[in-house]
Amino acid sequence: MAKSSEESPSRRTFMMVVIGLLTAIVGVGLAIPIVGEILTPLFKKRDIVWAKLGKVSDLENMQPLTPTFIPVYFKVKQGWSVNTLPRQVIVVKDVAGKLYFFSNQCTHLGCPLHWIAERQKFMCPCHGGMFNAMGKVVGGPPPRPLFVWVHKVENGTVFIQNKFLDNPKERGI
Amino acid sequence: MFKKVQKWFDERIELTETINEFNGERIPRSGGWAYTFGSLLAFLFTVQVATGIFLLFYYVPYFPVARDATYFIKHNVLFGSLLLGIHLWGAFTMVFILVVHMARVYFSGAYKKPRELQWVIGMALFSFVIVLGLTGYMLIGNENSWWTINVLSNVAAHTPFLGGFIRILARGGTETSTLAMQHIFAVHVWLLPIAVILLIPTHLFLIRKTGHQGMAMEYNKSKLPDDNIDKWKHPDATVPFFPDQFYKDMIVAIVVFVVVYLLAIFFVPEVGPVYNPLALHFAPEADWYFLANEELLKFFPGHGLIIFATFLVPIIGFVILFALPFIDRGHERSPFKRPAATILGIFFLLLIVYLTLMGGEPKAPATI
Ligand code: HEM
Ligand code: FES
């Protein structure tokens, strides 16, 4: 019969090492799939799609420096499902007639901006960020001008991508 | 008959002795009411688990459906509004009592040697309970939920180096949608409750190991010097936990329960409309215990400074609090003998109250 741990110190050490190893095996064995599961989102590419915004001719009829909120609907694959993500595009025409396509998300932490016509400003309801009609920060904590949607014009129709220009850290959205 | 049953158990597992040992813990005698907050937290947590489990009979963690499920519980389930209301007010009360319990422990210096670990486990409990509150707020599935997920994951994105990754992991993907909700659900319903259920007994076990310290006034008669840890293990007089302390615990628990219950009957907020990223005049609001941090965000504008409010100040504050027993190593327990600690504590509490009230002020654009 094998010696008990009380009879043989070396046997005791041996058993403790085996117990430790077995625990480690179970731990690592369970950690692999769990960590894999948690980290999965890091290995998924963002699903980038185009969505239709409207006719350029209609947009060009807008008053200059009068932002118009137009919804777009991105059909995006997420996990097991395809979801429709509604987003606002703020279309602004500058005095020279050029069109801009801003996001309505504050560049601070992403709250939805309100256009306050009396003051000619976008105001953020969260921490008091302010932007002018051309998207420049005029007050509050936001660190950068409004995000601009990636966009293109095809056959007179504007398309918007669920991605911001000049946004290396992929903030917002 | 009862005697017979008792004997049956005693012969086998010494039940009476076990119960007596459990109930006989010696509690310092003078400050009984001040020591009820810990048990109150355990009581409130039990209520959260009980109500939470039965909310699950109707709840669905899927974005467009979650809000309707919550609405259904509130308006179409018999006493659903009460169940939801108790879960909501119970959570709010728990956050508030956490601060009270921490303040009690802080001002009586009960985190000092040999009780450092109680404090550390307590801080872990504190973090988990706060995250439980936050994730609960997100699960409602109304507009605030959506924006809270969005804004908070953007806050996380300001963490140095790892920010972007943390945000993707927190959202369970790149967008705030289906998977974000599913992950938040798993965290709120499984991960954190189980962690808390494991940690509360650990907290209590540690307290029994060192004995309950209580406040400095329990040691007025002791001849030992303050730096002798034996002094802080032997209060002048003690009472058994059951029934002396338990009686007070129960009275406090009932009073709080009645308050929670009445609030749940009369003040359950509307569930609010389903989330709508297109809303033009929506002003997201953080849960009240986050208003202090939100107010902080307004003080640090521009590129370089945002990180102060989103990361540095909260993290540094949190680390200091976590490590408090290892930073403040003086031996005095009485708040009057350690004025610096006492004044700092009061200042900190006032600051939090001030920031919370400021953060709760209606915000200009939303009111126009
Ligand atoms: C779910 C949360 C918590 C529960 C259920 C809980 C429970 C308890 C109970 C029942 C006691 C003994 C009675 C009393 O003094 O009130 C206690 C004591 C204590 N708690 Fe907590 N607690 C929680 C959170 C915390 C937090 C957040 C901290 C601090 C960061 C903390 C630190 C302590 C310390 C240091 C003691 C020992 C006090 C002494 O010996 O006088 N606890 N806790
Ligand atoms: S999110 Fe707009 S100011 Fe903070």
Side-chain angles (χ1 to χ4, degrees), chain A residues 78 83 88 109 114 125 170, chain B residues 154 167 175 178 278 282 363:
Chain A
Q78 294 175 294
N83 288 15
Q88 289 286 5
L109 295 173
H114 303 183
E170 299 247 0
Chain B
N154 282 333
R167 185 178 58 176
E175 329 281 335
T178 336
L278 298 181
F282 183 70
K363 295 149 198 158

Side-chain angles (χ1 to χ4, degrees), chain A residues 105-113 123-131 140-142, chain B residues 151 297:
Chain A
Q105 288 191 4
C106 181
T107 54
H108 181 221
L109 295 173
C111 284
L113 294 168
M123 309 277 260
C124 178
C126 286
H127 321 103
M130 284 185 252
F131 303 82
Chain B
V151 171
L297 289 170

